DNA sequence: TCTGGGGTCCTAGGACCC
DNA sequence: TCTGGGGTCCTAGGACCC
C-alpha cells in the first residue's frame, strides 16, 4: 500500500470546459448575437457571454440586476435541447481520444490521457486537437487545462479561459499555483475565501505555507486537510467513469405564496411526480425523504425522515413530503408565506426488493408492501408506460396538474438532472 | 426590487448499542 | 453504584459546484 502511494506514476489529466456554454450556443444559433453581450435566462442569469461578463454580468445574478449593469444586454435562451445535443457531441469528441472520460456536468469533463500519448502525440497536441475539432465541427469555444492531477487540470482550464489552452508541466506545479488566488481552488467559495482573507491568506502559495493545524482549526477537519493537500498539489483522485447518483431531487420557486395546505399539496404533487418518476426510470428507490421550505428573505429549513423501506411511488412520496412540510410549518408559526418547496430522496437502493418483517413506524401506512402500496405501484407502472409511449404530458396524477407559473421549463430541469445510472 | 434547479460533501449533536 | 469509550445511524444546517 505504502509503496503504491509513494510510487504512484505521474498521470496526465485533461480538463475540458466549454466557454460560457449556453450563451455561446445562442451566439452560434443566431449570428446576429455574436460580439454582443448575451445572457441566457430570465428572472435569473443562467449563463453570460464574455461580452456580458465584461459588464459584470454573471451566472446566478438576478435578471433585473444584469440589465442594470448592462443596458444593451440581450436576454435570450430556451434552446435547451440544443444545449444537450451540443454538450453530448462535445463529450463524443473527447471519447474519441480515450474511454477514460468523466463527465461532471453538461459542459465539462476530465480525461485521463496517460495511455493515449503514444497513439495521438503529446498531451498538448491532444488538447489542441480537441479544441480544433470542437471549434470546427461544433462551432464552440472550449478551454483545456493539462496537468498531472484532476484538480490542477481544472485550475489550468480556468486560467486558460476564454478559448485557451494551459499546460502545467510535471515538476512545474508549485511555480504555477503559488501566485494564483485561493478562490480558483475547487471548494473555496465566498465563505472560505473570507475566512482565509481574514488570516491574510490570499494566494495558493500562502495557503500552502500555512500549517495544517491552523487550516483545520479555521475551516474544520475535512476542509482544512483537503485544502492543505490541494495547495501543495497532493491530489490522488483518479478519473472515474462510473459514478452513481446518491440522491434525486426537484424544487420549485413559487414566488410569494400563502402556505395553505392546498398550495403546498399541489406543488409537492408536481415535485413528487418528477422525483419518483426519475427514480422508477432508473429502477431505484430511496429510504430517506428530505423536504426544504424557503421563506421570504431566503431563510430555509429542511426536514427529513428515514424509513426501513425505500420509496419510489409518486403518491407515497407526495404524502410523506406533505407530512414533513406540515410539521416544518408548525415549527415556524410566524411564517405565513413560502417562496420555494423542494423534495429530495437519498439512501438510494435498487427498487422493488420485497421486505417482509418490517418494524412498525409512525409512517408505516406509507409502506410499499401494503395492499395500498401494491395498488400504487400498479398505477405508477401504468402511468410510466403511457408516458414512455406518448410523452410526459399524456397523463398525470390528479395532484400533478400543477404548472409552475414561474421558474423554468421542464426541458431545463431535464438538462440539469444528473444521470442516475451512469455506468462504465 | 431578493434570486433557478440540479447536485455533493461536511459538521455537530443526539440516540442507541455494546 | 452513576460511570468509559467507541461505533453507527439519523437529523438539520451550511458551504460549495455547475
Amino acid at each position: 500500500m505504502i509503496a503504491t502511494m509513494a510510487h504512484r506514476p505521474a498521470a496526465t489529466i485533461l480538463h475540458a470546459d466549454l466557454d460560457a456554454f449556453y450563451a455561446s450556443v445562442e451566439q452560434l444559433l443566431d449570428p446576429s448575437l455574436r460580439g454582443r453581450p448575451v445572457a441566457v435566462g430570465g428572472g435569473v442569469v443562467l449563463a453570460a457571454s464574455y461580452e456580458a461578463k465584461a459588464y459584470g454580468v454573471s451566472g446566478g445574478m438576478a435578471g433585473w440586476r444584469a440589465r442594470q449593469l448592462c443596458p444593451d444586454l440581450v436576454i435570450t435562451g430556451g434552446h435547451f435541447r440544443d444545449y444537450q445535443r451540443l454538450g453530448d457531441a462535445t463529450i463524443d469528441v473527447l471519447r474519441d481520444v480515450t474511454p477514460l472520460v468523466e463527465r461532471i456536468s453538461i459542459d465539462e469533463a476530465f480525461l485521463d490521457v496517460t495511455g493515449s500519448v503514444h497513439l495521438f502525440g503529446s498531451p498538448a497536441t491532444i488538447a489542441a486537437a480537441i479544441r480544433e475539432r470542437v471549434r470546427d465541427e461544433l462551432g464552440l469555444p472550449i478551454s483545456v487545462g493539462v496537468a498531472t492531477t484532476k484538480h490542477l487540470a481544472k485550475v489550468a482550464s480556468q486560467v486558460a479561459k476564454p478559448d485557451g489552452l494551459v499546460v502545467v508541466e510535471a515538476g512545474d506545479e508549485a511555480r504555477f499555483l503559488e501566485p494564483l488566488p485561493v478562490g480558483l481552488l475547487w471548494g473555496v467559495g465566498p465563505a472560505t475565501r473570507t475566512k482565509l482573507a481574514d488570516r491574510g491568506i490570499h494566494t495558493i502559495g500562502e495557503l500552502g505555507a500555512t500549517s495544517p493545524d491552523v487550516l483545520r482549526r479555521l475551516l474544520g477537519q475535512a476542509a482544512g486537510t483537503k485544502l492543505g493537500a490541494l495547495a501543495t498539489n497532493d491530489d490522488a483522485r483518479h478519473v472515474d467513469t462510473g459514478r452513481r447518483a446518491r440522491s434525486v431531487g426537484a424544487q420549485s420557486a413559487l414566488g410569494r405564496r400563502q402556505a395553505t395546505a392546498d398550495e403546498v399539496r399541489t406543488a409537492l404533487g408536481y415535485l413528487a411526480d418528477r422525483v419518483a418518476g426519475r427514480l422508477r426510470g432508473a429502477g431505484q428507490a430511496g429510504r430517506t425523504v428530505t423536504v426544504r421550505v424557503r421563506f421570504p428573505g431566503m431563510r430555509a429549513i429542511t426536514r427529513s425522515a428515514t424509513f426501513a423501506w425505500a420509496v419510489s411511488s409518486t403518491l407515497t412520496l407526495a404524502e410523506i413530503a406533505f407530512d414533513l412540510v406540515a410539521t416544518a410549518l408548525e415549527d415556524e408559526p410566524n411564517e405565513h408565506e413560502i417562496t420555494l418547496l423542494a423534495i429530495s430522496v437519498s439512501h438510494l437502493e435498487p427498487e422493488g426488493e420485497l421486505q417482509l418483517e418490517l418494524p412498525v413506524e409512525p409512517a408505516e401506512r406509507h409502506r410499499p408492501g401494503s395492499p395500498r402500496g401494491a395498488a400504487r405501484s400498479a398505477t405508477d407502472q401504468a402511468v410510466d408506460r403511457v408516458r414512455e409511449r406518448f410523452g410526459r404530458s399524456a397523463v398525470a396524477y390528479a395532484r400533478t396538474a400543477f404548472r409552475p407559473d414561474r421558474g423554468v421549463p421542464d426541458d431545463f430541469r431535464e438538462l440539469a438532472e444528473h444521470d442516475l445510472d451512469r455506468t462504465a
Side-chain angles (χ1 to χ4, degrees), chain A residues 105 108 154 189 191-192 287 302 304 306:
Chain A
S105 71
E108 161 182 18
K154 172 129 171 102
T192 305
R287 289 175 45 235
T302 63
S304 69
T306 300

Tab-separated table of all heavy atoms in Angstrom, chain A residues 105 108 154 189 191-192 287 302 304 306, chain C residues 9-18:
chain	number	residue	atom	x	y	z
A	105	SER	N	-20.521	17.653	-15.784
A	105	SER	CA	-21.718	18.462	-15.970
A	105	SER	C	-22.016	18.490	-17.464
A	105	SER	O	-21.354	17.817	-18.246
A	105	SER	CB	-21.514	19.893	-15.447
A	105	SER	OG	-20.633	20.604	-16.294
A	108	GLU	N	-18.587	19.998	-19.283
A	108	GLU	CA	-17.261	19.911	-18.675
A	108	GLU	C	-16.916	18.456	-18.354
A	108	GLU	O	-17.777	17.690	-17.934
A	108	GLU	CB	-17.333	20.805	-17.435
A	108	GLU	CG	-16.353	20.632	-16.399
A	108	GLU	CD	-16.663	21.599	-15.231
A	108	GLU	OE1	-17.790	22.120	-15.111
A	108	GLU	OE2	-15.757	21.787	-14.453
A	154	LYS	N	-8.049	21.234	-13.638
A	154	LYS	CA	-9.221	22.122	-13.572
A	154	LYS	C	-8.796	23.567	-13.339
A	154	LYS	O	-9.333	24.496	-13.959
A	154	LYS	CB	-10.147	21.651	-12.450
A	154	LYS	CG	-11.286	22.587	-12.168
A	154	LYS	CD	-12.603	21.867	-12.160
A	154	LYS	CE	-13.722	22.763	-11.659
A	154	LYS	NZ	-14.537	23.279	-12.734
A	189	GLY	N	-15.204	28.790	-1.766
A	189	GLY	CA	-16.240	29.727	-2.188
A	189	GLY	C	-16.129	31.000	-1.366
A	189	GLY	O	-15.114	31.223	-0.699
A	191	ALA	N	-17.486	32.024	1.476
A	191	ALA	CA	-17.305	31.932	2.931
A	191	ALA	C	-15.866	31.574	3.284
A	191	ALA	O	-15.253	32.199	4.162
A	191	ALA	CB	-18.269	30.892	3.509
A	192	THR	N	-15.323	30.578	2.609
A	192	THR	CA	-13.946	30.160	2.895
A	192	THR	C	-12.956	31.249	2.512
A	192	THR	O	-11.984	31.510	3.217
A	192	THR	CB	-13.638	28.864	2.125
A	192	THR	OG1	-14.618	27.895	2.465
A	192	THR	CG2	-12.259	28.333	2.477
A	287	ARG	N	-34.561	5.468	0.822
A	287	ARG	CA	-35.060	5.309	2.190
A	287	ARG	C	-35.262	6.635	2.916
A	287	ARG	O	-35.952	6.691	3.924
A	287	ARG	CB	-34.099	4.437	2.996
A	287	ARG	CG	-34.116	2.955	2.598
A	287	ARG	CD	-33.053	2.192	3.369
A	287	ARG	NE	-33.077	2.566	4.766
A	287	ARG	CZ	-32.031	3.019	5.452
A	287	ARG	NH1	-30.853	3.116	4.885
A	287	ARG	NH2	-32.164	3.358	6.712
A	302	THR	N	-35.022	22.572	6.548
A	302	THR	CA	-35.210	21.242	5.977
A	302	THR	C	-35.756	20.310	7.050
A	302	THR	O	-35.508	20.498	8.242
A	302	THR	CB	-33.889	20.652	5.442
A	302	THR	OG1	-32.981	20.495	6.532
A	302	THR	CG2	-33.268	21.531	4.391
A	304	SER	N	-36.386	15.908	7.417
A	304	SER	CA	-36.203	14.636	6.725
A	304	SER	C	-36.717	13.486	7.567
A	304	SER	O	-36.877	13.608	8.782
A	304	SER	CB	-34.719	14.430	6.393
A	304	SER	OG	-33.982	14.225	7.573
A	306	THR	N	-36.279	9.000	7.668
A	306	THR	CA	-35.655	7.808	7.102
A	306	THR	C	-36.477	6.592	7.497
A	306	THR	O	-36.886	6.465	8.644
A	306	THR	CB	-34.213	7.674	7.632
A	306	THR	OG1	-33.474	8.817	7.245
A	306	THR	CG2	-33.549	6.423	7.062
C	9	DC	P	-24.227	2.524	9.801
C	9	DC	OP1	-24.568	1.330	9.010
C	9	DC	OP2	-23.261	3.516	9.297
C	9	DC	O5'	-25.565	3.308	10.137
C	9	DC	C5'	-26.508	2.739	11.055
C	9	DC	C4'	-27.436	3.825	11.515
C	9	DC	O4'	-26.741	4.643	12.500
C	9	DC	C3'	-27.869	4.778	10.403
C	9	DC	O3'	-29.278	4.757	10.286
C	9	DC	C2'	-27.352	6.148	10.824
C	9	DC	C1'	-27.133	5.984	12.324
C	9	DC	N1	-26.057	6.855	12.856
C	9	DC	C2	-26.344	7.681	13.935
C	9	DC	O2	-27.484	7.672	14.418
C	9	DC	N3	-25.360	8.479	14.428
C	9	DC	C4	-24.148	8.451	13.875
C	9	DC	N4	-23.215	9.249	14.401
C	9	DC	C5	-23.836	7.599	12.785
C	9	DC	C6	-24.810	6.820	12.304
C	10	DC	P	-29.990	5.528	9.105
C	10	DC	OP1	-31.157	4.734	8.716
C	10	DC	OP2	-28.985	5.944	8.099
C	10	DC	O5'	-30.492	6.843	9.837
C	10	DC	C5'	-31.280	6.726	11.019
C	10	DC	C4'	-31.473	8.104	11.605
C	10	DC	O4'	-30.211	8.557	12.153
C	10	DC	C3'	-31.910	9.159	10.592
C	10	DC	O3'	-33.142	9.715	11.003
C	10	DC	C2'	-30.789	10.197	10.597
C	10	DC	C1'	-30.084	9.941	11.919
C	10	DC	N1	-28.634	10.272	11.912
C	10	DC	C2	-28.163	11.264	12.759
C	10	DC	O2	-28.963	11.865	13.497
C	10	DC	N3	-26.838	11.556	12.766
C	10	DC	C4	-26.010	10.884	11.962
C	10	DC	N4	-24.710	11.199	12.001
C	10	DC	C5	-26.468	9.864	11.086
C	10	DC	C6	-27.782	9.587	11.087
C	11	DT	P	-33.897	10.737	10.076
C	11	DT	OP1	-35.324	10.567	10.366
C	11	DT	OP2	-33.366	10.617	8.704
C	11	DT	O5'	-33.431	12.148	10.632
C	11	DT	C5'	-33.712	12.498	11.981
C	11	DT	C4'	-33.203	13.891	12.259
C	11	DT	O4'	-31.758	13.861	12.285
C	11	DT	C3'	-33.589	14.926	11.198
C	11	DT	O3'	-34.250	16.004	11.842
C	11	DT	C2'	-32.265	15.357	10.567
C	11	DT	C1'	-31.251	14.991	11.632
C	11	DT	N1	-29.910	14.612	11.133
C	11	DT	C2	-28.804	15.224	11.673
C	11	DT	O2	-28.892	16.093	12.517
C	11	DT	N3	-27.612	14.792	11.174
C	11	DT	C4	-27.396	13.816	10.217
C	11	DT	O4	-26.265	13.512	9.868
C	11	DT	C5	-28.592	13.209	9.698
C	11	DT	C7	-28.483	12.132	8.653
C	11	DT	C6	-29.778	13.628	10.170
C	12	DA	P	-34.968	17.105	11.002
C	12	DA	OP1	-36.134	17.541	11.792
C	12	DA	OP2	-35.133	16.616	9.625
C	12	DA	O5'	-33.912	18.288	10.980
C	12	DA	C5'	-33.505	18.874	12.211
C	12	DA	C4'	-32.458	19.917	11.923
C	12	DA	O4'	-31.215	19.259	11.586
C	12	DA	C3'	-32.790	20.848	10.750
C	12	DA	O3'	-32.691	22.187	11.209
C	12	DA	C2'	-31.778	20.499	9.671
C	12	DA	C1'	-30.633	19.876	10.456
C	12	DA	N9	-29.901	18.846	9.730
C	12	DA	C8	-30.403	17.881	8.913
C	12	DA	N7	-29.495	17.082	8.398
C	12	DA	C5	-28.305	17.555	8.929
C	12	DA	C6	-26.968	17.146	8.778
C	12	DA	N6	-26.599	16.116	8.013
C	12	DA	N1	-26.014	17.838	9.447
C	12	DA	C2	-26.394	18.865	10.214
C	12	DA	N3	-27.618	19.355	10.440
C	12	DA	C4	-28.537	18.643	9.754
C	13	DG	P	-32.929	23.399	10.225
C	13	DG	OP1	-33.540	24.460	11.042
C	13	DG	OP2	-33.583	22.932	8.985
C	13	DG	O5'	-31.450	23.839	9.868
C	13	DG	C5'	-30.498	23.993	10.904
C	13	DG	C4'	-29.137	24.199	10.302
C	13	DG	O4'	-28.642	22.934	9.796
C	13	DG	C3'	-29.112	25.177	9.119
C	13	DG	O3'	-28.155	26.179	9.401
C	13	DG	C2'	-28.706	24.321	7.931
C	13	DG	C1'	-27.941	23.184	8.600
C	13	DG	N9	-27.898	21.952	7.823
C	13	DG	C8	-28.951	21.270	7.273
C	13	DG	N7	-28.586	20.193	6.623
C	13	DG	C5	-27.203	20.171	6.752
C	13	DG	C6	-26.243	19.244	6.254
C	13	DG	O6	-26.435	18.238	5.579
C	13	DG	N1	-24.952	19.597	6.628
C	13	DG	C2	-24.617	20.703	7.369
C	13	DG	N2	-23.323	20.897	7.640
C	13	DG	N3	-25.500	21.578	7.853
C	13	DG	C4	-26.769	21.249	7.491
C	14	DG	P	-28.050	27.482	8.463
C	14	DG	OP1	-27.934	28.621	9.380
C	14	DG	OP2	-29.096	27.438	7.419
C	14	DG	O5'	-26.649	27.262	7.745
C	14	DG	C5'	-25.580	26.734	8.508
C	14	DG	C4'	-24.447	26.383	7.582
C	14	DG	O4'	-24.652	25.048	7.059
C	14	DG	C3'	-24.319	27.298	6.365
C	14	DG	O3'	-22.970	27.678	6.243
C	14	DG	C2'	-24.763	26.431	5.196
C	14	DG	C1'	-24.363	25.049	5.681
C	14	DG	N9	-25.096	23.952	5.057
C	14	DG	C8	-26.456	23.841	4.905
C	14	DG	N7	-26.805	22.751	4.285
C	14	DG	C5	-25.603	22.103	4.010
C	14	DG	C6	-25.353	20.868	3.357
C	14	DG	O6	-26.156	20.082	2.864
C	14	DG	N1	-23.976	20.594	3.300
C	14	DG	C2	-23.007	21.397	3.809
C	14	DG	N2	-21.748	20.973	3.662
C	14	DG	N3	-23.222	22.543	4.424
C	14	DG	C4	-24.539	22.835	4.495
C	15	DA	P	-22.592	28.958	5.386
C	15	DA	OP1	-21.918	29.896	6.295
C	15	DA	OP2	-23.749	29.374	4.560
C	15	DA	O5'	-21.507	28.358	4.377
C	15	DA	C5'	-20.445	27.572	4.894
C	15	DA	C4'	-19.825	26.816	3.754
C	15	DA	O4'	-20.664	25.690	3.431
C	15	DA	C3'	-19.706	27.664	2.475
C	15	DA	O3'	-18.353	27.678	2.057
C	15	DA	C2'	-20.646	26.980	1.476
C	15	DA	C1'	-20.765	25.565	2.026
C	15	DA	N9	-22.040	24.932	1.711
C	15	DA	C8	-23.285	25.448	1.951
C	15	DA	N7	-24.262	24.665	1.539
C	15	DA	C5	-23.598	23.558	1.010
C	15	DA	C6	-24.069	22.381	0.409
C	15	DA	N6	-25.357	22.098	0.245
C	15	DA	N1	-23.158	21.488	-0.025
C	15	DA	C2	-21.857	21.770	0.144
C	15	DA	N3	-21.295	22.856	0.694
C	15	DA	C4	-22.240	23.726	1.109
C	16	DC	P	-17.914	28.564	0.815
C	16	DC	OP1	-16.464	28.801	0.987
C	16	DC	OP2	-18.863	29.662	0.599
C	16	DC	O5'	-18.087	27.539	-0.382
C	16	DC	C5'	-17.457	26.275	-0.320
C	16	DC	C4'	-17.941	25.416	-1.463
C	16	DC	O4'	-19.281	24.963	-1.195
C	16	DC	C3'	-18.035	26.171	-2.787
C	16	DC	O3'	-16.935	25.782	-3.608
C	16	DC	C2'	-19.355	25.735	-3.394
C	16	DC	C1'	-19.878	24.671	-2.436
C	16	DC	N1	-21.348	24.700	-2.293
C	16	DC	C2	-22.084	23.586	-2.727
C	16	DC	O2	-21.479	22.626	-3.190
C	16	DC	N3	-23.435	23.618	-2.622
C	16	DC	C4	-24.032	24.688	-2.108
C	16	DC	N4	-25.366	24.663	-2.018
C	16	DC	C5	-23.303	25.830	-1.645
C	16	DC	C6	-21.965	25.792	-1.763
C	17	DC	P	-16.728	26.499	-5.021
C	17	DC	OP1	-15.295	26.458	-5.290
C	17	DC	OP2	-17.483	27.770	-5.033
C	17	DC	O5'	-17.466	25.503	-6.011
C	17	DC	C5'	-17.085	24.128	-6.005
C	17	DC	C4'	-17.910	23.417	-7.052
C	17	DC	O4'	-19.212	23.131	-6.513
C	17	DC	C3'	-18.128	24.287	-8.284
C	17	DC	O3'	-17.590	23.706	-9.457
C	17	DC	C2'	-19.619	24.421	-8.416
C	17	DC	C1'	-20.184	23.343	-7.516
C	17	DC	N1	-21.421	23.831	-6.918
C	17	DC	C2	-22.608	23.174	-7.230
C	17	DC	O2	-22.558	22.166	-7.954
C	17	DC	N3	-23.775	23.645	-6.752
C	17	DC	C4	-23.776	24.748	-5.975
C	17	DC	N4	-24.951	25.172	-5.535
C	17	DC	C5	-22.581	25.415	-5.636
C	17	DC	C6	-21.422	24.942	-6.127
C	18	DC	P	-17.532	24.591	-10.779
C	18	DC	OP1	-16.336	24.189	-11.510
C	18	DC	OP2	-17.783	26.006	-10.460
C	18	DC	O5'	-18.807	24.078	-11.569
C	18	DC	C5'	-18.919	22.689	-11.871
C	18	DC	C4'	-20.200	22.489	-12.618
C	18	DC	O4'	-21.312	22.713	-11.732
C	18	DC	C3'	-20.376	23.466	-13.784
C	18	DC	O3'	-20.762	22.760	-14.957
C	18	DC	C2'	-21.478	24.404	-13.337
C	18	DC	C1'	-22.266	23.562	-12.346
C	18	DC	N1	-22.920	24.375	-11.314
C	18	DC	C2	-24.306	24.291	-11.172
C	18	DC	O2	-24.930	23.525	-11.912
C	18	DC	N3	-24.919	25.048	-10.241
C	18	DC	C4	-24.203	25.858	-9.461
C	18	DC	N4	-24.859	26.590	-8.570
C	18	DC	C5	-22.789	25.968	-9.584
C	18	DC	C6	-22.184	25.217	-10.516
